[in-house]
Amino acid sequence: SPRSRSIIGNGINNSGNIQEPQQQQTSTTLYLGDFFNFGKKEEQETTTPPPPTPEEEAAQTGYVDDEDPIEKIFGIFFGKKEAEPMGMKRFGQERFPEQYPAVLDEWADPVEGDDKEMALLRPLLKNTNLETRNLRLTYDANRDGYDPVTFHSKVDKQGGAIVFCTTRAGIQCGGYNPKGWVGYGEARGSIAAFLYILGGKYAAAGAPAIKLRKVGGPGLAQMDLPESGPSFSPDALVIPLGKDGRLARSKLGSYYERLPDGTNSLFGKDSNVQLRDLKVYHGVYAEGEYIPFTDAEPFALY
């Protein structure tokens, strides 16, 4: 009857029991993306740990993941790059520092046994083969003479060296020759070679010197001519010795960096100067120890 239908509608069934009121249904709006996820369970949010660094991955798996895009493509076909393939450590700046340009804003720590002048030069040797090696004075022009023959008799086949000179105006400067001299008349290349000026207006605050890198590639870093003294490229810092006596000349820009203000000479406004002194320091090697770069390098590419 209409009355019984009304009672049922108000929550009383035919048996007289009161039913719980039904909850009102709500509509749900579907978006385009919901159709692609239809039937999938909603995943609970989880905290994803950050990916390991290349060093951590190498320690865990024995592989490194610092490849550039080209290396990644090769890795698809040949496998991931191992940290130590066949037990051999990989090429890097820590193991082979002189395969990279000179560092400009880091300085070597003192080494026990350095005298006052060695301690002055030591900071410049950061990331070189001489950084932690004891030094010895192999050539002193005031002691040995401003003569190219004597010069080469003192410095040839002694390995890398740092040249230190003082002009009559008091400028202290020089250069690092990673390959040393052998006196065979060849041009010895090295991207790690550099020139420097101690102190002065060009040194940054707190820095002992300014260093000028090799530019234009490693070639012609040192002109190893038996008839001449130190020659950093054909023109960047040339000390001929012999009939030129104490003369030194400098022209920067072609093979070594210019000074920050564009000055193209280590000696400031002067391209030629007279030296007060000239010295060369080499590393100390034990008897029988291997000394690098003691022979000709006709096909050197670094």
Side-chain angles (χ1 to χ4, degrees):
S1 67
R3 178 174 177 78
S4 62
R5 284 196 298 270
S6 176
I7 293 174
I8 294 172
N10 288 329
I12 303 175
N13 59 18
N14 291 332
S15 61
N17 296 325
I18 299 176
Q19 293 180 335
E20 292 293 332
Q22 297 179 356
Q23 295 182 350
Q24 185 177 0
Q25 295 182 350
T26 59
S27 61
T28 302
T29 303
L30 295 177
Y31 297 95
L32 180 60
D34 296 327
F35 288 100
F36 295 100
N37 296 320
F38 182 77
K40 294 183 180 180
K41 291 184 178 181
E42 184 176 347
E43 296 181 357
Q44 295 181 349
E45 292 186 4
T46 59
T47 302
T48 304
T53 64
E55 292 79 8
E56 292 172 338
E57 184 178 9
Q60 295 171 5
T61 66
Y63 295 92
V64 293
D65 190 19
D66 58 350
E67 298 98 336
D68 59 32
I70 300 299
E71 289 177 317
K72 289 182 181 293
I73 294 174
F74 273 88
I76 295 174
F77 300 99
F78 302 106
K80 295 187 69 176
K81 183 170 67 176
E82 297 180 17
E84 295 187 11
M86 300 179 66
M88 296 181 292
K89 292 185 179 296
R90 284 196 170 272
F91 187 98
Q93 189 167 8
E94 289 186 1
R95 296 194 65 225
F96 301 97
E98 294 190 352
Q99 301 301 318
Y100 298 84
V103 294
L104 303 180
D105 55 359
E106 298 180 49
W107 310 99
D109 295 328
V111 171
E112 185 178 358
D114 283 354
D115 62 22
K116 184 177 180 180
E117 195 161 84
M118 294 174 184
L120 195 64
L121 301 174
R122 178 65 65 181
L124 305 173
L125 298 175
K126 180 69 176 179
N127 280 14
T128 71
N129 289 337
L130 299 182
E131 179 176 353
T132 59
R133 187 176 289 274
N134 289 113
L135 300 175
R136 62 190 180 95
L137 177 64
T138 49
Y139 173 74
D140 181 345
N142 289 337
R143 178 193 67 191
D144 303 317
Y146 285 79
D147 175 68
V149 175
T150 304
F151 170 78
H152 281 279
S153 71
K154 299 288 186 180
V155 304
D156 283 357
K157 301 186 179 182
Q158 302 297 320
I162 186 165
V163 174
F164 176 49
C165 57
T166 305
T167 71
R168 286 183 176 173
I171 299 173
Q172 294 181 310
C173 58
Y176 177 63
N177 175 14
K179 300 291 185 67
W181 299 268
V182 294
Y184 292 160
E186 62 182 354
R188 297 169 78 78
S190 175
I191 197 64
F194 62 84
L195 302 176
Y196 67 88
I197 303 173
L198 291 178
K201 66 178 183 179
Y202 294 112
I210 182 172
K211 295 165 72 173
L212 305 175
R213 283 174 167 169
K214 180 73 178 64
V215 295
L220 304 178
Q222 182 72 210
M223 308 303 293
D224 184 15
L225 307 175
E227 67 276 12
S228 174
S231 181
F232 289 83
S233 83
D235 56 8
L237 174 60
V238 180
I239 307 173
L241 301 179
K243 61 182 178 61
D244 292 304
R246 296 172 178 264
L247 175 71
R249 59 178 184 265
S250 174
K251 181 183 177 182
L252 304 172
S254 299
Y255 300 95
Y256 288 84
E257 292 177 314
R258 296 187 180 197
L259 290 164
D261 61 1
T263 299
N264 68 344
S265 172
L266 283 175
F267 314 128
K269 60 182 178 59
D270 299 318
S271 59
N272 299 324
V273 297
Q274 292 291 314
L275 298 181
R276 184 189 302 166
D277 57 50
L278 168 65
K279 297 178 181 179
V280 178
Y281 288 90
H282 283 87
V284 175
Y285 293 86
E287 184 177 355
E289 184 180 1
Y290 171 72
I291 302 176
F293 309 120
T294 57
D295 209 340
E297 297 188 311
F299 303 109
L301 299 177
Y302 52 91

